[in-house]
Structures are given as structure tokens and as C-alpha cells.
Amino acid sequence: MRRENEFRYLTLANILREQIHSGFIKPGEFLLSENELCKHYGMSRTSVRKSLDQLLLEKLIVKKVGQGTIVSPDLVVEASPNKVLRIFTTSPSNFYDLCMPLLIEAFQKSNPNVEVKCMSFSGGDFWDSINTSMDLGLKPDLILVSDRQFGETENLEQFTDLQDKLGGSREAIYPRLWQSFSDSGRLKALPVTFSTVYLAYNPDLFQRYNVTEPSPSWTRDDFLEAAGQLTMDLNGDGINDVYGLSLSSSLSRWPVIALQNGVNFKAIDSTDPILNTLKFLHHLLYKHRSAALSPRNALNSESFTREKAAMVLTTSIELAGWKHQTMPFTPKIAPLPFGKQKQTMLIANVLMLPKNSEEPELALQFLQTAVSPEVQEQLSATTGFISVRKQINEAIWSQPGLESLHIYDDTIENSLFLYEIFEDAHLVDELEAEMTLFWAGMESASELAERMKLILTKP
């Protein structure tokens, strides 16, 4: 935890430093207040204050008693003689933290006189922040976003069509991926990594308590039995210390179970499939009591990384971030055992090129570098991220591993991004809010199933 907090305050210091050096916040102008920084970047007051203290040491900012913090009025921001490629990113982002340095290094090998500057914005109001930045005259050449943020883009016309600008790279990428980020045949975003939502487990816990590890043919009953065996009260105080599964209430995770049971959220003609899924979730949490619930805004629950849960629905992007914090074990991937449908969810990080980019040719070169075979292989080998190139994954992963990831042969074609499951982004927030009592065990599966049908079928 201490290492994570240190990492967060340094990340915020880097964000503010870049905003100052880039001229986004000019000498004499006020920074956001400490309260606003806490809210905007999702950090504790302690982390925010440590970030500001770092900038004070560098004499980039000045604190004015009773007024706030300003950029040092005496600061002189010198113009760089080099060309600048400006990339806006979302924060926090495991891809940005772990992969962007590799992309920049590879790009600058062929463009040594180009300075790549990255500026991060809070994911909570990302597009509003981007628009405000552009209104102030600070324009990005590339924007790194998640698949969900892509789905929330209000005007895709402001982004360049990449369909015929990537040479042979597009053909090497999974068709399922570039098709998902196309609009009327125009490629509006380039995926640079992706992941399915899969089931990871801690083999050390399975071995420690003599529980049979998941096999390619294991079933839902096998899963339930293993989860039950791995739910334990280790200190004898009557309260479980370890659970079989860490279950998130986020709509970016648990719908995998629904999809595997044949739920079509776009056309709920019958409540039976969703009812069966909700009953299963309640069974895990409150009857079987083999799952611990984490809130939707805390996907990176520590229960799995600290060996308090044996299994978790996760992604390679999330797992890479956990490994960066140092886990005491090496996770393995288990086949999803929840239903007959060979289906799961997808997430991705994509780069978008605004039409008003001041360096469009350099931006295209960066995109080509990001999906080149050499860089994609390096990312997969050093960080654990999944490549967008099918051949690289087939060279790195075994067939059982690819099958567990649901990317073997054409199985990826059945998987869906969140914005494809729920085309209205506001619907995600509405459904998550409606499920509060259900997750607390205060509402039955049948009550929620009926209400969800009404919400999903309303005109």
C-alpha cells in the first residue's frame, strides 16, 4: 500500500508539472484547490499535498496563504527547438504507466528530434477536460482512451479516418477489434492493446489447501465446490478471512456471467436468463457465502492481490497493474465455467487522431510504431499485456491459454465491449445505481430482474 501511495503522488506531480511546462497552467494562474484535486484525480489529501510539496521544492508553484496555490510568477517556460508531439491521456491508466514509455522510446529512435509530451486528465470528466483544453488553445495530436471513453465520444467526425493510413498493420490486427472502433466503414480509433475479461486464480492458495486447480473441462459445479473449499475462517473468530472469489459489482465485470448464460441485454424478451444469473450471484454472496463483494469503483480490490480471495474476474490490463505493485504469487488463468455460451467481455486502450492535430504526420508515425510487430511483441513480453496482433499472441500463449482468454480461432468474435452491450452510456450508471439494494442482499433476484427488464426495454 505504501508503494502504491508513493506511486500515486508522483503520478499527480508529473501531471501538474507537465501542465505547467506545456503552458496549460500559466505563470501566476491558480491550480485547482486541494479539495478539487482530490476529487478530480481520486486521491487522498495526503497524496495531493505530497505532490504539491514536490512542486514547491522544484519552485514551480507558490502557496498564497488563504488564497490557494499558483504557478510561480517568475517561471519562464522556454520554447523547445524540437517538434512536439502532444498526447492527451486518461488517468489513472495502467497502459499509460507501463506501456507508454516503451512506445515513446521506440518512436524516438526514428524521430530523435521530436519531443513527446503527455498530459493526463481525470477519467471522471475526461472529454469535458479535453474540450476545455482545446478551447484554451492546447490541442492534442493524439488522444489515448479506454473503450468506454470511446463509446462516450459525442462527435466522431472530429477524428481522422485511419482506415487506409496504417499500411499492412490493420490486416494483422484482430478484425473484431478494428471493426469495433469503426464508424460507417471509417476507422476512428486504433486499438493498441486489449483484453478479454477472464477468471484468474491464485495457484498457491489452491495448492496450500489441497484444492484441485481448474482444468479445461471444469464446470460451474466444480467452480462452486472450489470456491466453497477456499472460503475459510483461518483465525477461528467466526468471520471468514479468505474467500473463493472476489466479485465486483461493476457492469464491466459481472455481466460476463450473464453473457455465458445467454442474456442479451439489448433484447430481454424473457426474464429467465437474467433471473438465473442474479440468483447465481446472490447464491455466491449470501447462501454459499463464498464470494466477497467489492464496490464498482474499486475494481483493483486488494482481496486478490493480498491472497484474501482465490479467484477474480479481471483483465490483462488490470493484472499488469497489480503485478507492478508486486504480488506474492503468479496468477494463472482458468476457463470461464459459468454457462454454455462461449462469450465474454472485452476492454481496450485505443489512440485517436484529432483532425485539428498540428502534427498529423508525426501522429501517424506514432500510431504505426505502436502497432508494429516489434513493439507489440515487446509490450506483450515485458508487461503481460495482450497484443492486438493475432500472430504474436499465438506465438506467446499456449492453445489452452488462448482458449481460456476466449481469443482462440474465432471465439473473440462472440465477445462484446461494454458500449456494445449498453449503447446508451447513461444506462450503465442508471443500472449500477438501481442494483444497490440487490448487492446489499436487501432485494431479491426476481424483483431486480423485473425492474431491469423495464429499464432495458423502455423506449
Side-chain angles (χ1 to χ4, degrees):
M1 176 61 72
R2 180 180 178 184
R3 179 177 177 178
E4 180 181 358
N5 288 338
E6 290 176 353
F7 178 75
R8 287 173 66 81
Y9 99 76
L10 288 173
T11 298
L12 178 56
N14 291 337
I15 291 170
L16 296 176
R17 186 185 298 108
E18 174 55 26
Q19 289 180 347
I20 293 169
H21 283 307
S22 66
F24 183 70
I25 312 174
K26 296 177 174 59
E29 291 186 346
F30 281 90
L31 274 64
L32 294 175
S33 69
E34 289 186 4
N35 285 337
E36 290 171 323
L37 287 170
C38 290
K39 181 180 179 181
H40 195 66
Y41 293 100
M43 293 187 180
S44 68
R45 185 174 293 273
T46 299
S47 293
V48 167
R49 285 180 174 173
K50 289 183 71 175
S51 302
L52 296 177
D53 288 344
Q54 178 63 36
L55 299 182
L56 276 171
L57 288 174
E58 298 172 18
K59 298 183 179 179
L60 291 177
I61 61 174
V62 176
K63 288 191 175 182
K64 299 181 75 69
V65 179
Q67 297 183 52
T69 303
I70 64 171
V71 177
S72 177
D74 300 326
L75 181 67
V76 177
V77 180
E78 297 182 359
S80 172
N82 297 329
K83 286 188 174 182
V84 175
L85 182 69
R86 200 175 302 282
I87 303 176
F88 284 5
T89 75
T90 185
S91 177
S93 167
N94 286 323
F95 182 84
Y96 172 76
D97 294 335
L98 302 178
C99 298
M100 190 60 79
L102 299 177
L103 299 188
I104 294 173
E105 181 182 3
F107 171 76
Q108 288 184 323
K109 283 182 179 179
S110 55
N111 296 275
N113 296 322
V114 177
E115 186 177 356
V116 179
K117 288 193 173 185
C118 297
M119 185 179 297
S120 298
F121 296 90
S122 168
D125 51 2
F126 182 75
W127 287 115
D128 287 341
S129 299
I130 296 294
N131 292 332
T132 299
S133 172
M134 290 194 288
D135 289 343
L136 293 172
L138 190 61
K139 300 176 182 178
D141 298 303
L142 289 168
I143 303 178
L144 175 68
V145 299
S146 67
D147 57 280
R148 181 168 181 178
Q149 289 164 332
F150 174 84
E152 294 171 348
T153 309
E154 293 182 354
N155 182 14
L156 288 174
E157 288 302 317
Q158 63 184 310
F159 295 98
T160 300
D161 177 14
L162 305 173
Q163 185 80 359
D164 300 316
K165 299 183 182 298
L166 299 171
S169 294
R170 201 202 71 173
E171 283 68 28
I173 296 172
Y174 290 94
R176 178 72 185 88
L177 296 181
W178 57 259
Q179 289 168 0
S180 298
F181 299 102
S182 297
D183 179 58
S184 301
R186 297 168 297 174
L187 183 61
K188 290 297 185 175
L190 178 67
V192 288
T193 190
F194 82 103
S195 180
T196 52
V197 176
Y198 54 77
L199 188 67
Y201 71 96
N202 181 341
D204 292 0
L205 286 180
F206 275 79
Q207 295 167 15
R208 190 180 306 161
Y209 299 108
N210 297 314
V211 178
T212 302
E213 290 189 43
S215 69
S217 60
W218 81 325
T219 64
R220 187 164 82 165
D221 288 339
D222 296 330
F223 163 80
L224 287 171
E225 182 178 356
Q229 290 175 320
L230 289 162
T231 300
M232 295 168 284
D233 170 18
L234 298 179
N235 58 13
D237 64 356
I239 301 173
N240 289 330
D241 309 292
V242 178
Y243 285 85
L245 177 72
S246 175
L247 178 66
S248 172
S249 61
S250 170
L251 276 170
S252 65
R253 291 293 182 270
W254 72 262
V256 166
I257 300 173
L259 294 175
Q260 290 220 313
N261 283 280
V263 175
N264 181 353
F265 288 95
K266 290 183 180 179
I268 296 189
D269 300 322
S270 168
T271 58
D272 288 346
I274 188 64
L275 176 60
N276 292 335
T277 299
L278 296 176
K279 283 183 176 179
F280 176 71
L281 294 173
H282 255 194
H283 180 74
L284 278 174
L285 290 166
Y286 299 112
K287 288 187 177 180
H288 203 258
R289 295 186 180 275
S290 55
L293 189 66
S294 63
R296 64 178 183 268
N297 60 348
L299 288 178
N300 56 340
S301 169
E302 294 182 15
S303 57
F304 183 70
T305 60
R306 296 180 64 178
E307 299 191 287
K308 296 296 184 180
M311 295 178 280
V312 66
L313 284 169
T314 188
T315 67
S316 64
I317 296 172
E318 185 175 53
L319 203 57
W322 291 346
K323 289 179 180 178
H324 184 71
Q325 299 170 23
T326 308
M327 288 191 294
F329 62 95
T330 301
K332 289 185 178 180
I333 300 174
L336 292 169
F338 304 112
K340 295 180 180 179
Q341 302 295 322
K342 297 295 183 182
Q343 195 171 15
T344 185
M345 297 177 70
L346 294 165
I347 67 168
N349 290 115
V350 301
L351 283 164
M352 307 177 75
L353 199 168
K355 287 181 178 178
N356 63 358
S357 165
E358 296 179 351
E359 297 290 348
E361 294 303 319
L362 287 177
L364 277 174
Q365 288 184 46
F366 191 93
L367 293 176
Q368 292 164 352
T369 299
V371 294
S372 66
E374 299 78 14
V375 170
Q376 284 287 307
E377 184 174 2
Q378 183 184 15
L379 291 181
S380 297
T382 59
T383 67
F385 281 73
I386 299 176
S387 173
V388 296
R389 288 177 169 263
K390 183 177 180 181
Q391 285 188 331
I392 290 178
N393 293 330
E394 291 177 345
I396 292 176
W397 294 81
S398 65
Q399 179 179 328
L402 293 172
E403 290 176 346
S404 295
L405 291 170
H406 283 260
I407 59 174
Y408 183 70
D409 285 343
D410 295 326
T411 52
I412 189 176
E413 297 296 327
N414 301 322
S415 300
L416 299 169
F417 287 98
L418 183 66
Y419 72 87
E420 295 173 325
I421 299 174
F422 306 104
E423 293 179 353
D424 183 351
H426 299 292
L427 195 59
V428 174
D429 295 328
E430 182 180 354
L431 283 173
E432 288 187 336
E434 287 287 339
M435 295 184 71
T436 302
L437 290 179
F438 170 81
W439 290 121
M442 299 178 184
E443 181 179 38
S444 71
S446 58
E447 289 173 315
L448 178 60
E450 289 294 337
R451 197 163 71 258
M452 286 184 71
K453 181 180 179 181
L454 291 175
I455 293 172
L456 292 169
T457 57
K458 68 182 179 181

